[in-house]
Amino acid sequence: MQQKFYWLFGGIGVLLVVASTIGWLLQRRSPDSSTIANLVARVNAWWIMVAVLAAGFLLGRNATIVLFAIASLFALREFVTLTPTRPGDHLPLVVCFYVLLPVQYLLIGDDWYNLFAIFLPVYGFLLLPVLTAVSGDTEQFLERVTKLQWGLMITVYCISYVPALVLVQVPGFSVGNQNLLLVIYLLFVVQISDVLQYVFGKLFGKHKIAPRVSPSKTVEGFIGGGASAVGVGAALWWITPFTPLQAAGMAAVIVLAGFLGGIALSAVKRSLGAKDWGSMIEGHGGMLDRLDSVSFAAPVFFHLTRYFFEP
Amino acid sequence: MWLSHVFALLVRVLVGAQAQWIGCKPAPVLRIYYANHTSHLDTLALWCALPHHLRKTTRPVAASDYWNRGGLRGYVATHGFNALFIERDKDKRAGDPLEPLAQALARGESLVIFPEGTRRAQALPSPFKSGIFHLATKFPDAELVPVYLNNLYRSMPKGTYLPVPLTCSVRFGAPLARIADEPKEAFLERARQAVVDLA
């Protein structure tokens, strides 16, 4: 496990060194290009994100859970910031941030899968309209409650599926903290898919897939980047309980779900009137700009693994 | 003051309080920062948005009846953000309520004030009270920096006790131009407009 971990992060380190070098060379050639400045900023932010994740994984399972709880906090914060709220939403918002979010992650820490899976979709869903109603403000009631439920489902429930991978019991694989490798596998495939789709799109992109929703997504980018990401996922079979073919299949599902998540959340973002979810990650936008594909890919990957690989 | 570091971290996690220096740069000159007031978080957010070296010489002005009541709140105000108290209650006042503020400015300490005098539950500031006019007249060399705090009225509206995490930015505008012999009303409206322009 430790050895695989070091190989993996060593490899990611090499990738980042290559990316930084390319960025540095490009910037020397055309110092005024804003695209290249953004590229460099993105790579720099990747260094930090990888370092934070690696630290979390090294500290173990609980640290990883806490790390994603914090990521959820920031993502929910971005979602609520862009959503118009009224003073009557204060109580349900407080409950979302200070009760529902921590409890959802505590349930993972406590290995309580059955409640983890229904806590927010059932009890959170029922509780929020009650709290909003108690506040007495009925102006646009349904819209307000819906937006809150939506934000909670995406930023807390769906993202919590990433660390929840520690709950899956695959015979012969899930010993010690080895399931953290599944977390790394998921994140790596999603993010490399985003990066490769971006690169292929910039190099060969001609036909836009959804010009009004997500202008940077192209057919060429999706096919080229997606297929390469599936290749990368298959090549990483050795850190998973999957055979190379199974790993390719899982990667294909992750890539597709991530792509669809990117489009759906882009539409949500635009309907809220913003281009980026936030600005906390230099060059990338907000936390949710980085986790939009993850939030769709994580639950799908989790349930596929649980269904097919847990006896 | 370790407590102020704890607060700075807490404020960052809760509301971001990202500083945007639009009309001026952070500088160790005599300044009166004045901002719209919508939440108990305002003072902390604005103070945390200042670079660390400026916090030592910048005193947020806080209402005595709320912050100077001893206990945790008083401790936070004195040790957490180095507050300077102002007496709002006319009956309790002895002499000029602005006197402690003037003394601080005379010592070279910058101030953070909320000229609306109380919190308002709205995005744009209400008309200003005249304290800022008297301070400005008394200290013609102090820079009057308008500051706009967005979103905080959503994070912790009046009457609530827990802040909802929301990203808020702290926008610093260009120092207000000084016009000789400007009437009080015109000055107050112009100062207020400078905050509105940052919204």
Side-chain angles (χ1 to χ4, degrees):
Chain A
M1 152 85 193
Q2 286 296 0
Q3 210 169 2
K4 284 179 184 170
F5 178 85
Y6 290 124
W7 270 111
L8 202 57
F9 274 85
I12 296 172
V14 171
L15 271 182
L16 284 175
V17 168
V18 171
S20 283
T21 314
I22 292 175
W24 180 72
L25 288 174
L26 285 171
Q27 202 159 38
R28 244 184 30 165
R29 226 176 51 185
S30 44
D32 301 324
S33 160
S34 63
T35 311
I36 290 168
N38 177 263
L39 181 85
V40 172
R42 274 172 188 256
V43 176
N44 290 344
W46 271 122
W47 276 105
I48 297 171
M49 289 188 275
V50 167
V52 171
L53 281 172
F57 294 137
L58 278 177
L59 289 171
R61 161 199 158 111
N62 288 342
T64 307
I65 295 173
V66 170
L67 204 61
F68 280 91
I70 295 172
S72 269
L73 170 80
F74 286 137
L76 183 59
R77 191 176 85 165
E78 285 168 359
F79 195 98
V80 174
T81 302
L82 286 188
T83 312
T85 59
R86 296 163 59 86
D89 297 321
H90 195 262
L91 179 64
L93 282 170
V94 162
V95 171
C96 281
F97 277 102
Y98 298 112
V99 181
L100 299 180
L101 187 158
V103 168
Q104 175 71 4
Y105 280 90
L106 280 173
L107 290 171
I108 304 174
D110 198 35
D111 277 313
W112 197 347
Y113 169 74
N114 288 329
L115 188 54
F116 157 85
I118 60 163
F119 178 61
L120 293 179
V122 177
Y123 297 101
F125 175 78
L126 296 178
L127 181 64
L128 287 180
V130 174
L131 293 175
T132 313
V134 164
S135 302
D137 181 359
T138 52
E139 184 82 26
Q140 293 195 302
F141 181 82
L142 188 58
E143 286 86 341
R144 282 160 49 213
V145 177
T146 313
K147 280 175 182 158
L148 205 48
Q149 287 168 329
W150 224 89
L152 195 66
M153 284 301 284
I154 288 293
T155 63
V156 181
Y157 185 68
C158 290
I159 289 176
S160 72
Y161 267 104
V162 179
L165 282 165
V166 300
L167 300 179
V168 182
Q169 290 300 324
V170 183
F173 180 80
S174 303
V175 280
N177 273 339
Q178 191 139 238
N179 272 19
L180 288 180
L181 289 171
L182 282 176
V183 175
I184 304 175
Y185 176 78
L186 166 69
L187 292 176
F188 190 78
V189 173
V190 174
Q191 301 299 349
I192 204 77
S193 164
D194 277 4
V195 170
L196 289 170
Q197 286 183 42
Y198 169 87
V199 171
F200 273 83
K202 286 271 174 215
L203 293 177
F204 312 109
K206 283 200 180 63
H207 303 88
K208 296 193 166 168
I209 293 179
R212 288 180 56 190
V213 178
S214 195
S216 61
K217 284 194 165 52
T218 61
V219 179
E220 294 80 0
F222 173 58
I223 292 175
S228 321
V230 171
V232 171
L236 281 176
W237 64 274
W238 51 278
I239 65 164
T240 68
F242 317 137
T243 64
L245 195 65
Q246 288 167 337
M250 284 293 192
V253 173
I254 292 173
V255 166
L256 186 65
F259 172 79
L260 299 174
I263 287 196
L265 281 182
S266 213
V268 173
K269 184 166 67 178
R270 272 166 223 285
S271 78
L272 292 172
K275 193 179 93 43
D276 283 329
W277 283 104
S279 58
M280 70 180 295
I281 310 178
E282 194 74 31
H284 294 262
M287 180 65 77
L288 210 39
D289 287 293
R290 211 53 282 140
L291 289 180
D292 54 358
S293 355
V294 175
S295 67
F296 273 58
V300 180
F301 177 62
F302 177 97
H303 287 296
L304 282 181
T305 310
R306 193 165 180 277
Y307 187 79
F308 287 110
F309 292 89
E310 193 170 276
Chain B
M1 286 198 292
W2 61 272
L3 192 62
S4 65
H5 290 281
V6 174
F7 273 111
L9 182 71
L10 214 58
V11 166
R12 292 260 175 244
V13 172
L14 287 177
V15 294
Q18 201 180 33
Q20 296 175 359
W21 296 87
I22 297 167
C24 63
K25 290 269 162 270
V29 295
L30 190 65
R31 277 177 173 168
I32 301 174
Y33 300 95
Y34 67 97
N36 59 321
H37 199 15
T38 56
S39 149
H40 283 315
L41 285 175
D42 290 348
T43 318
L44 271 173
L46 202 163
W47 200 65
C48 290
L50 294 171
H52 191 251
H53 65 278
L54 291 183
R55 285 186 212 154
K56 282 180 197 148
T57 54
T58 306
R59 311 281 307 266
V61 176
S64 187
D65 52 287
Y66 182 80
W67 287 102
N68 197 12
R69 278 204 274 177
L72 183 66
R73 215 182 270 171
Y75 188 83
V76 166
T78 328
H79 298 271
F81 56 86
N82 201 12
L84 193 64
F85 298 113
I86 186 166
E87 189 58 66
R88 284 195 295 194
D89 190 341
K90 283 200 176 87
D91 300 333
K92 287 189 195 155
R93 278 180 193 165
D96 185 359
L98 292 178
E99 192 48 35
L101 279 63
Q103 280 172 9
L105 285 169
R107 280 196 300 271
E109 293 173 329
S110 294
L111 297 181
V112 173
I113 61 172
F114 299 97
E116 290 164 88
T118 185
R119 288 168 294 143
R120 311 278 179 183
Q122 65 213 23
L124 294 178
S126 313
F128 283 0
K129 299 204 182 302
S130 54
I132 184 174
F133 174 76
H134 297 303
L135 287 176
T137 321
K138 218 168 182 175
F139 294 88
D141 294 330
E143 286 187 355
L144 301 170
V145 179
V147 182
Y148 182 73
L149 299 157
N150 75 348
N151 270 340
L152 282 175
Y153 66 101
R154 290 172 55 202
S155 173
M156 201 169 148
K158 214 166 172 165
T160 60
Y161 298 96
L162 270 177
V164 170
L166 274 177
T167 322
C168 126
S169 56
V170 182
R171 301 182 193 138
F172 295 87
L176 197 69
R178 297 302 195 102
I179 300 173
D181 301 323
E182 188 180 20
K184 191 169 86 179
E185 280 66 34
F187 169 86
L188 291 176
E189 186 45 39
R190 196 162 60 85
R192 181 181 164 274
Q193 190 57 43
V195 175
V196 173
D197 289 344
L198 291 169

